[in-house]
Amino acid sequence: MLYDFGLDFYDFNNQEKIAQKISDIKREFELVMIAERLDESLVLLRELLCWTWDDVIVFKQNARIKAPTLTAEQKILVEKWSFGDALLYNTSCRIFDEKVRNYGEARMVRDLAILRNRTQAMFDHCVNDLVSKDNIVNPKLKSWSPDVYNFQLQSDEPQCVSLAEQELQFTLQLKRKLWPNKKFTA
């Protein structure tokens, strides 16, 4: 993760540079979303950006058909190898917990129910089934891996396609929209 935020690979074992980068991230980002707590993250994002519920509906992408598991020893090794990332993650989780507390427990419970209900209603409207990539015709909806679920749509409405679209296709569209004079290929 720190690499994605601009920390040079050669500094992955430099505790001072790791601490500085984490400090920079805390200063520059109002909200760091936590993947394992995506629904809560979306509720906080909606509040921060004054968005509607429809703006934060997402379908879970890249869900593995068979989830991989790590042994306790493997988890320790990963955390050791990724010391800086683990530190960033733990720091982000502490800050996130504080933001959730400040939002209010009852309010969060209420808003999570609203988000989940709206997401489920959209999912029921758009998706016929979760299938392997072999069963998908539209390349925009076909995953890169045979190990993850794909959305077989029952509606070709633009919002349904957008919600089911794979991340690489979505990113490509976003780049083309942001930089119309540049050429981007899939």
Side-chain angles (χ1 to χ4, degrees):
M1 291 184 299
L2 285 170
Y3 179 81
D4 295 324
F5 282 108
L7 184 69
D8 192 287
F9 172 77
Y10 297 105
D11 294 327
F12 280 10
N13 292 317
N14 184 325
Q15 291 187 13
E16 185 178 316
K17 292 208 175 181
I18 289 170
Q20 181 59 53
K21 181 53 72 175
I22 290 172
S23 178
D24 293 347
I25 292 166
K26 286 167 45 178
R27 187 181 65 256
E28 292 174 21
F29 291 89
E30 180 68 26
L31 175 65
V32 174
M33 297 170 67
I34 307 295
E36 301 83 56
R37 297 174 68 184
L38 184 61
D39 288 353
E40 289 169 290
S41 295
L42 292 168
V43 167
L44 294 175
L45 181 67
R46 175 188 171 271
E47 174 81 4
L48 182 65
L49 298 177
C50 301
W51 283 355
T52 69
W53 289 114
D54 289 343
D55 294 327
V56 292
I57 290 175
V58 297
F59 292 169
K60 185 176 180 181
Q61 296 280 353
N62 295 326
R64 294 199 173 272
I65 293 169
K66 182 179 179 225
T69 56
L70 296 177
T71 66
E73 289 175 356
Q74 289 170 327
K75 289 178 183 177
I76 290 169
L77 281 175
V78 168
E79 192 160 320
K80 184 179 176 185
W81 291 331
S82 303
F83 164 79
D85 286 344
L87 186 60
L88 172 61
Y89 177 78
N90 292 331
T91 300
S92 298
C93 284
R94 281 193 299 279
I95 294 168
F96 188 85
D97 287 339
E98 181 181 331
K99 288 184 180 298
V100 169
R101 275 193 303 280
N102 291 341
Y103 190 81
E105 183 180 341
R107 185 175 172 212
M108 181 60 76
V109 168
R110 181 199 68 209
D111 288 353
L112 283 171
I114 292 169
L115 175 62
R116 289 173 178 155
N117 287 336
R118 291 185 73 100
T119 300
Q120 187 62 52
M122 185 60 74
F123 187 88
D124 293 343
H125 172 75
C126 294
V127 178
N128 183 44
D129 201 4
L130 295 175
V131 297
S132 72
K133 78 181 220 169
D134 297 334
N135 297 323
I136 300 296
V137 176
N138 184 341
K140 290 173 118 182
L141 306 180
K142 190 177 281 202
S143 69
W144 55 272
S145 169
D147 299 327
V148 299
Y149 286 111
N150 291 256
F151 301 104
Q152 185 179 65
L153 297 182
Q154 61 190 4
S155 170
D156 61 355
E157 295 172 25
Q159 187 175 16
C160 292
V161 173
S162 179
L163 287 166
E165 193 169 40
Q166 293 297 310
E167 65 194 78
L168 296 176
Q169 289 295 325
F170 177 80
T171 304
L172 183 61
Q173 274 189 316
L174 186 59
K175 287 178 179 177
R176 287 177 178 160
K177 198 174 246 187
L178 289 171
W179 301 288
N181 296 328
K182 282 191 168 189
K183 298 276 188 221
F184 296 99
T185 57

